[in-house]
Amino acid sequence: MDGSTSRVFSQAFPAWGHLRFMRRRELEEMGFVRDDRLTIECVVNVVLDPVVTAGDAPELDHPPSNILGHLAGLLGDKGTADVTLVVRGEEFAAHRAVLAMRSPVFKAALYGPMKESTDANAGRVAIDGVEPAVFRALLHFIYTDTTAAMDDLDDDDDTAQMIMHLLEAADRYDVERLKLICELMLCKSIAVDTVAATLAMADQHHCQKLKEACIEFLATSKKMEGVMESQGYKKMKLSCPSFMVDLWEIIGRKMTSYSVILNIYARDKD
Amino acid sequence: MSSRKKPSRIEPFRHKVETDPRFFEKAWRKLDDAIREIYNHNASGLSFEELYRTAYNLVLHKHGPKLYDKLTENMEDHLQEMRVSIEAAQGGLFLVELQRKWDDHNKALQMIRDILMYMDRVFIPTNKKTPVFDLGLDLWRDTIVRSPKIHGRLLDTLLDLIHRERTGEVINRSLMRSTTKMLMDLGSSVYQDDFERPFLEVSASFYSGESQKFIECCSCGEYLKKAQQRLDEEAERVSQYMDAKTDEKITAVVVKEMLANHMQRLILMENSGLVNMLVEDKYEDLTMMYSLFQRVPDGHSTIKSVMNSHVKETGKDMVMDPERLKDPVDFVQRLLNEKDKYDSIVTTSFSNDKSFQNALNSSFEHFINLNNRCPEFISLYVDDKLRKGMKEANEEDVETVLDKVMMLFRYLQEKDLFEKYYKQHLAKRLLSGKAASDDSERSMLVKLKTECGYQFTSKLEGMFNDLKTSHDTTQRFYAGTPDLGDAPTISVQILTTGSWPTQPCNTCNLPPEILGVSEMFRGFYLGTHNGRRLTWQTNMGTADIKAVFGNGSKHELNVSTYQMCVLMLFNSADCLSYRDIEQTTAIPSADLKRCLQSLALVKGKNVLRKEPMSRDISDDDNFYVNDKFTSKLFKVKIGTVATQKESEPEKMETRQRVEEDRKPQIEAAIVRIMKSRRVLDHNSIVTEVTKQLQPRFMPNPVVIKKRVESLIEREFLERDKTDRKLYRYLA
């Protein structure tokens, strides 16, 4: 009996055996059968495919990114600035490339063939229709990608106004992320007395999310009367009546009870 | 924590309302003036900020639609002005002016787009209008390019310039490039409709004319060269001043007009077409034809079929020419040369194209099998190469030649016929000691074995083995038998009957000296090998005889066994008649006559003299030793008058034997097939049998049918009771 031969089972040789069986008598005579049992011991080694595991790389401390810090450092750096933006008398030093990078409108202005791109006028560009504080906040966002400048304002009302102005500026200069951030902030602070004005602004400046949020607010709130009392609402009626029609249509679809519309319509006639 | 009060408070946000009724007018006037300045190249004095803000305010106050319409109108006006100026340009300046105005418009358009960026971003998507820049391009397209006066003129100018360049003039390519680029910028449909399509049409008629002109006066090779030239030219033209996508379209046009339309005429052209190129090995022309006709649908298949029929025809002439058949070795050499020729054509000119190689192979196979003597001739060719004293002393050369012969061998359909001849020739070589190199012989066997399998060569190998064993046996005989005295030395070759070609054994009385020692050998052999039978093959042996002639000349004669028997008789007699010789030697008359002819009637080898000196041998002729025999050489070889090639009756006999051998093979194949399939119809049996036996020979369907019937008789198969065409296997 083979006790020590080892065999290899592989695809080429899937089976091993002997040609002839042993006689039972021999088996019994040799004493291998005990208690009516025959024990066969085999040692099986299984060879698996090698398993590759990713080892832990030694601790390499990648220093965290610091480009934003450097970029922020450029804000207001007169030494490297190559353009001066004049906003209602207040001057802001800035860098053409950075402005162009963040706003296509600035890019067209500062790198186009018109006056702003030449050095005529000593690199000064007049900006009209924006308040300096707002412009400062816009510049701050351009250089730092954050709206931290507004934390300076200690008045909630001021903050709300600032956000609206900033949204307008962002829309004008096509700084998309800033516009969306302002939108979201306004969405969170819709109130009965401001919803009308907010809605008008959202429509004028094409802020889809804000518009929907306002409409949602109007449709579900039970304070329609309060809204209609507000100044903002009255002003809107005067300035863009066509918008009012659209608005009521949209609200109408959302309202569940017809009687409420009638109610409001009746009141409106006054 | 300090709450710092801002120096300036923020103004409350106000919803913008514009109350000025003339707001739009004022704003628009500003923009209108600015655009005019822009078109007048005065942009640097304008303030972008201001203009952008103006447009921004307009859109904010819902004046988007009006602004858009005004803009459209405004641009149209400017473009109309430009159009007038372009139309006024004379002659060559037309394109220049067009280009200049296009540049101006482009630059202006970019600035306008920038100014109106807010409208582009906000108003246009929601109202599904064309963006400003695209609007500018569309207006240019409609006002200028497609204006009645300019449209036709532009196309005509472009096509005229191209035509001039085709006829050899040099034109302003950069102007062409910028003009076609303008068309491409306006949209691929503009480029295609307003330029590309007419260009392709005009080119088609141009090349149609060209090809007509050339084909009348050029040979095929010249024409192909010109076609290639034009193709290269057009490709270069496209890369220089057209859109890359035009390349394959114009190539298709040229190929169609110059090649596809004239394909048959070119390939079949007398004295310069494909056939002529093949015959004269015009590699360059062939390469050009191959690469050019690759682009033509059916180009290659036409070339292949013309080549095929040519090869088959010349091959057939070669193979059936009665003159050629007289020299088998030369015949085969010519076949090899032909194969070499076409192989090099396929390698050099057809870039080793497999399908061409296959076409050649089938043509060769076709014509080689037209002559049923090819198996024999090929075997004779090999025989010639393997014999002693050939010119290629180099082993490698022999190898190459044998490999080439194997290629011809593969084409044979009757490989079993070849086998028979090869065996005969090999036997002759081995027994007469004429095999030049044992290595070459074995190498040939290996090649045959690789090609046809073990069975083909097993008997041939047996022949080699026999010789080796015989050599050993003879040595043992001489070592083991002490006392042989004056007996002539014999060298015995023992041939196993199955392996060697069967020869009918004829009677022959050996001279006593020989008989003695040969019988001793027989005794020795049978003593060591039980149950075997030895028969002397007297028609195959040779003998070396020392002869002293009456004139004193001594020679050693190398003769056949029969000749030896005859000559030895003259030791005891001076004159012998034919009848005497026949009686004593008991050699069959046909062989004896041939034997005597070679001894007496061959000039330079006439060791016997015959009276009368006639050419034929009759019964009453007398033979004497020729005492006047002389030869420059000491050793004289006297061969038997026999042809290498088979005579007609021998040929018939060999063929018959081969046919006989085929019958059992066919039957074995039928039985094998039926045993596994059980039931099969007649046609399928024929197909299967042919498929199985093809490596050896092509069985004749009539013969197959006969064998089937014979098997039915012997109750191996039976016919199906209902369907007469079906056969059933009987276990």
Side-chain angles (χ1 to χ4, degrees):
Chain A
M1 291 266 211
D2 276 329
S4 55
T5 327
S6 59
R7 297 257 190 256
V8 178
F9 291 84
S10 63
Q11 212 166 23
F13 299 99
W16 289 96
H18 283 273
L19 289 172
R20 277 198 263 146
F21 291 98
M22 197 178 202
R23 286 198 184 284
R24 182 181 171 157
R25 207 185 333 115
E26 277 173 46
L27 203 62
E28 287 166 358
E29 276 171 17
M30 284 164 130
F32 284 109
V33 180
R34 295 197 190 152
D35 296 332
D36 212 25
R37 280 201 184 88
L38 173 67
T39 310
I40 301 173
E41 188 182 298
C42 322
V43 176
V44 180
N45 293 327
V46 181
V47 179
L48 297 170
D49 288 329
V51 176
V52 179
T53 49
D56 289 326
E59 282 292 318
L60 286 174
D61 283 333
H62 281 293
S65 169
N66 57 356
I67 186 173
L68 288 175
H70 287 153
L71 191 56
L74 277 180
L75 178 59
D77 179 8
K78 295 212 170 76
T80 49
D82 53 3
V83 68
T84 311
L85 303 162
V86 184
V87 186
R88 298 206 185 154
E90 221 177 297
E91 294 189 357
F92 297 93
H95 307 78
R96 283 175 196 261
V98 176
L99 293 175
M101 168 177 97
R102 301 280 274 160
S103 157
V105 181
F106 274 126
K107 183 172 179 187
L110 299 171
Y111 288 93
M114 298 193 205
K115 192 159 74 175
E116 286 82 351
S117 69
T118 62
D119 275 330
N121 214 20
R124 295 163 71 84
V125 175
I127 306 280
D128 219 357
V130 184
E131 289 195 49
V134 177
F135 195 79
R136 180 175 297 116
L138 177 68
L139 266 188
H140 183 95
F141 183 86
I142 283 178
Y143 279 80
T144 64
D145 216 26
T146 64
T147 52
M150 297 193 301
D151 296 341
D152 281 351
L153 305 164
D154 46 12
D155 194 338
D156 270 345
D157 204 30
D158 264 358
T159 314
Q161 298 298 318
M162 169 62 104
I163 296 175
M164 287 192 179
H165 280 295
L166 201 49
L167 190 150
E168 184 194 17
D171 183 40
R172 174 163 151 184
Y173 285 101
D174 196 8
V175 184
E176 206 182 312
R177 186 165 177 260
L178 179 57
K179 184 178 163 189
L180 287 171
I181 289 176
C182 293
E183 256 189 80
L184 284 172
M185 285 199 227
L186 287 173
C187 282
K188 288 190 197 138
S189 58
I190 302 176
V192 166
D193 54 341
T194 57
V195 65
T198 312
L199 187 50
M201 188 193 77
D203 176 61
Q204 194 173 52
H205 290 280
H206 308 91
C207 306
Q208 198 54 33
K209 286 195 179 54
L210 188 54
K211 212 163 151 178
E212 281 170 11
C214 290
I215 289 174
E216 196 61 42
F217 180 86
L218 283 174
T220 54
S221 108
K222 297 183 174 69
K223 304 191 185 137
M224 274 315 291
E225 294 85 6
V227 173
M228 295 202 292
E229 293 296 316
S230 74
Q231 289 292 322
Y233 182 82
K234 292 196 171 101
K235 281 213 179 97
M236 242 176 42
K237 245 174 46 168
L238 283 172
S239 61
C240 36
S242 61
F243 174 67
M244 301 302 292
V245 175
D246 295 337
L247 174 61
W248 286 119
E249 274 179 16
I250 296 166
I251 293 179
R253 283 189 219 117
K254 286 191 179 283
M255 296 274 238
T256 45
S257 96
Y258 179 62
S259 60
V260 180
I261 299 177
L262 277 182
N263 216 349
I264 294 169
Y265 184 70
R267 282 220 53 176
D268 206 36
K269 270 207 181 143
D270 298 339
Chain B
M1 208 224 109
S2 61
S3 53
R4 189 165 54 87
K5 260 297 195 228
K6 305 264 319 140
S8 53
R9 286 212 55 191
I10 302 166
E11 277 177 32
F13 184 84
R14 261 187 228 119
H15 181 77
K16 288 189 176 36
V17 176
E18 195 45 71
T19 46
D20 182 351
R22 298 189 58 221
F23 169 66
F24 182 84
E25 267 180 61
K26 288 188 200 157
W28 172 250
R29 173 124 16 92
K30 228 188 261 181
L31 291 172
D32 188 30
D33 289 341
I35 292 177
R36 188 167 308 111
E37 291 303 310
I38 287 173
Y39 272 109
N40 287 340
H41 313 108
N42 275 339
S44 56
L46 302 170
S47 161
F48 177 84
E49 255 297 303
E50 203 190 319
L51 295 169
Y52 177 83
R53 201 176 61 243
T54 313
Y56 162 80
N57 279 323
L58 279 177
V59 176
L60 220 53
H61 291 97
K62 310 288 190 198
H63 291 301
K66 255 204 274 186
L67 176 60
Y68 192 84
D69 291 339
K70 278 284 187 188
L71 171 71
T72 311
E73 220 181 279
N74 178 289
M75 280 209 280
E76 265 174 2
D77 290 339
H78 284 285
L79 287 173
Q80 290 292 353
E81 275 176 42
M82 288 183 166
R83 177 176 62 82
V84 170
S85 135
I86 294 172
E87 279 171 7
Q90 295 291 327
L93 294 174
F94 171 70
L95 279 186
V96 175
E97 185 66 13
L98 179 66
Q99 197 52 44
R100 195 179 307 143
K101 290 292 185 238
W102 166 247
D103 274 343
D104 287 350
H105 179 64
N106 252 309
K107 289 202 183 79
L109 199 51
Q110 277 174 32
M111 287 188 245
I112 296 173
R113 178 199 56 198
D114 284 346
I115 295 173
L116 297 175
M117 221 191 282
Y118 193 77
M119 180 177 81
D120 244 351
R121 179 161 42 101
V122 154
F123 163 75
I124 275 164
T126 41
N127 290 281
K128 306 239 187 340
K129 295 272 189 193
T130 321
V132 173
F133 195 83
D134 296 338
L135 174 67
L137 291 182
D138 287 348
L139 287 175
W140 172 272
R141 176 194 64 200
D142 296 333
T143 318
I144 308 276
V145 172
R146 290 200 173 155
S147 84
K149 286 216 191 118
I150 294 184
H151 186 223
R153 191 173 167 193
L154 173 61
L155 181 63
D156 288 342
T157 314
L158 291 175
L159 292 178
D160 177 59
L161 284 172
I162 291 174
H163 181 85
R164 283 205 248 152
E165 195 181 51
R166 279 183 179 150
T167 51
E169 274 183 55
V170 177
I171 62 170
N172 184 343
R173 281 183 155 185
S174 64
L175 193 53
M176 294 291 289
R177 184 168 37 245
S178 38
T179 313
T180 53
K181 186 161 186 314
M182 172 189 81
L183 292 172
M184 283 193 268
D185 287 345
L186 291 175
S188 65
S189 65
V190 177
Y191 174 78
Q192 277 169 17
D193 294 339
D194 291 17
F195 170 70
E196 199 186 49
R197 200 177 314 123
F199 164 70
L200 291 173
E201 280 170 16
V202 161
S203 305
S205 57
F206 173 79
Y207 280 112
S208 165
E210 272 254 307
S211 62
Q212 208 54 49
K213 194 173 63 178
F214 284 152
I215 206 153
E216 297 294 334
C217 64
C218 289
S219 74
C220 180
E222 284 170 4
Y223 183 93
L224 290 180
K225 215 178 277 178
K226 281 204 166 47
Q228 185 64 57
Q229 252 172 353
R230 282 298 191 188
L231 278 170
D232 293 338
E233 211 186 277
E234 290 299 325
E236 200 239 349
R237 182 168 296 124
V238 170
S239 74
Q240 285 293 311
Y241 55 79
M242 289 187 221
D243 181 34
K245 289 200 204 78
T246 310
D247 184 36
E248 61 174 19
K249 294 182 197 172
I250 184 67
T251 306
V253 165
V254 178
V255 164
K256 178 166 175 291
E257 293 299 328
M258 290 204 85
L259 296 171
N261 287 354
H262 299 282
M263 180 164 76
Q264 292 289 336
R265 191 166 165 184
L266 283 169
I267 292 181
L268 298 172
M269 205 180 264
E270 292 259 341
N271 295 333
S272 61
L274 177 63
V275 169
N276 170 272
M277 290 179 195
L278 289 173
V279 165
E280 293 185 19
D281 289 329
K282 288 187 180 161
Y283 292 125
E284 261 184 49
D285 287 352
L286 285 168
T287 318
M288 234 191 325
M289 184 180 271
Y290 179 81
S291 77
L292 283 174
F293 279 104
Q294 199 160 25
R295 306 176 202 235
V296 178
D298 288 335
H300 274 184
S301 50
T302 314
I303 296 180
K304 248 183 278 180
S305 74
V306 170
M307 183 180 79
N308 265 357
S309 25
H310 171 75
V311 171
K312 279 189 198 162
E313 224 182 275
T314 43
K316 181 164 156 210
D317 289 341
M318 206 187 293
V319 152
M320 304 294 243
D321 184 355
E323 277 295 313
R324 300 265 165 261
L325 297 178
K326 289 184 185 164
D327 183 352
V329 176
D330 184 62
F331 175 88
V332 176
Q333 187 63 53
R334 275 167 187 280
L335 289 180
L336 288 173
N337 293 347
E338 190 79 352
K339 182 88 180 50
D340 271 344
K341 175 197 165 87
Y342 282 102
D343 279 348
S344 61
I345 286 179
V346 171
T347 319
T348 321
S349 297
F350 296 162
S351 55
N352 256 324
D353 188 324
K354 268 236 170 309
S355 64
F356 277 81
Q357 192 60 56
N358 290 344
L360 264 182
N361 285 345
S362 70
S363 307
F364 267 80
E365 193 178 320
H366 170 90
F367 73 72
I368 278 184
N369 289 299
L370 288 176
N371 184 342
N372 61 6
R373 298 201 70 179
C374 280
E376 187 196 339
F377 285 179
I378 294 180
S379 177
L380 282 169
Y381 182 83
V382 178
D383 182 67
D384 180 69
K385 289 288 169 240
L386 292 175
R387 272 173 184 266
K388 269 204 181 91
M390 59 199 169
K391 290 138 215 161
E392 296 104 284
N394 196 338
E395 278 272 322
E396 280 172 23
D397 287 341
V398 176
E399 273 296 299
T400 340
V401 169
L402 290 181
D403 280 329
K404 290 199 180 152
V405 172
M406 284 309 290
M407 284 205 280
L408 288 184
F409 173 78
R410 273 180 213 117
Y411 295 137
L412 289 175
Q413 278 173 352
E414 302 198 288
K415 294 189 171 75
D416 55 349
L417 192 55
F418 174 87
E419 190 194 352
K420 227 179 200 50
Y421 281 114
Y422 192 76
K423 206 151 92 167
Q424 280 176 17
H425 297 145
L426 177 65
K428 280 199 199 127
R429 277 204 299 283
L430 292 176
L431 291 178
S432 54
K434 291 266 171 43
S437 150
D438 209 37
D439 287 336
S440 306
E441 293 281 350
R442 287 202 180 273
S443 154
M444 185 66 190
L445 273 195
V446 165
K447 293 189 211 294
L448 285 171
K449 185 150 73 169
T450 322
E451 196 61 34
C452 300
Y454 173 67
Q455 266 137 343
F456 197 92
T457 52
S458 60
K459 296 207 178 110
L460 303 174
E461 285 183 4
M463 297 208 268
F464 279 96
N465 293 339
D466 279 349
L467 290 188
K468 193 160 180 305
T469 335
S470 308
H471 181 75
D472 294 341
T473 313
T474 315
Q475 275 189 328
R476 269 188 291 128
F477 168 69
Y478 274 108
T481 315
D483 179 29
L484 286 166
D486 286 330
T489 321
I490 55 170
S491 162
V492 184
Q493 279 140 333
I494 302 156
L495 316 176
T496 315
T497 314
S499 308
W500 297 74
T502 42
Q503 305 265 6
C505 180
N506 300 316
T507 52
C508 172
N509 292 335
L510 294 169
E513 299 93 325
I514 305 295
L515 206 53
V517 73
S518 50
E519 286 310 308
M520 284 185 76
F521 183 88
R522 185 202 289 274
F524 166 80
Y525 186 81
L526 292 176
T528 41
H529 296 90
N530 239 332
R532 292 190 186 180
R533 193 165 56 135
L534 285 180
T535 317
W536 295 111
Q537 299 283 99
T538 46
N539 54 347
M540 289 206 251
T542 56
D544 291 325
I545 303 183
K546 286 204 178 75
V548 182
F549 290 88
N551 60 358
S553 48
K554 290 188 190 160
H555 292 282
E556 192 176 291
L557 306 171
N558 177 276
V559 295
S560 74
T561 309
Y562 287 161
Q563 288 163 340
M564 170 196 69
C565 297
V566 168
L567 288 175
M568 295 299 280
L569 293 177
F570 285 92
N571 271 346
S572 36
D574 282 332
C575 168
L576 290 164
S577 75
Y578 176 81
R579 231 181 263 116
D580 295 333
I581 298 175
E582 197 184 5
Q583 232 175 354
T584 329
T585 59
I587 294 173
S589 77
D591 295 315
L592 183 57
K593 283 203 177 134
R594 263 217 311 271
C595 167
L596 287 168
Q597 272 177 337
S598 54
L599 285 171
L601 297 171
V602 178
K603 195 167 166 210
K605 308 273 174 84
N606 48 342
V607 292
L608 290 182
R609 201 166 34 93
K610 180 169 92 90
E611 275 172 22
M613 280 292 279
S614 57
R615 286 215 53 198
D616 299 319
I617 299 181
S618 59
D619 286 0
D620 294 313
D621 288 352
N622 283 329
F623 290 88
Y624 305 86
V625 175
N626 181 7
D627 286 313
K628 295 205 204 94
F629 175 74
T630 52
S631 170
K632 286 198 208 109
L633 305 164
F634 175 66
K635 288 194 187 175
V636 183
K637 179 170 160 42
I638 304 184
T640 318
V641 176
T643 48
Q644 290 267 66
K645 210 154 51 94
E646 280 192 322
S647 60
E648 275 303 309
E650 283 179 337
K651 192 163 62 132
M652 289 275 94
E653 210 196 309
T654 312
R655 174 152 284 283
Q656 230 173 342
R657 259 189 260 144
V658 170
E659 294 290 339
E660 281 300 313
D661 280 346
R662 286 180 182 172
K663 288 193 187 148
Q665 291 182 56
I666 295 179
E667 286 187 0
I670 296 175
V671 171
R672 256 202 308 275
I673 292 166
M674 290 306 294
K675 193 165 174 184
S676 71
R677 307 285 213 100
R678 297 279 154 186
V679 182
L680 209 56
D681 67 292
H682 184 83
N683 288 335
S684 305
I685 290 185
V686 173
T687 325
E688 287 295 319
V689 167
T690 312
K691 205 161 59 174
Q692 276 204 16
L693 293 174
Q694 209 168 0
R696 274 185 71 76
F697 64 90
M698 290 295 269
N700 187 338
V702 174
V703 175
I704 297 178
K705 188 167 200 296
K706 278 216 175 63
R707 293 294 100 220
V708 168
E709 277 162 17
S710 156
L711 285 171
I712 292 177
E713 271 176 40
R714 288 182 274 151
E715 296 189 7
F716 280 91
L717 306 176
E718 69 172 357
R719 275 220 168 78
D720 187 80
K721 281 146 195 95
T722 40
D723 183 359
R724 291 287 296 174
K725 283 244 144 199
L726 227 59
Y727 299 103
R728 210 177 283 275
Y729 178 73
L730 290 174

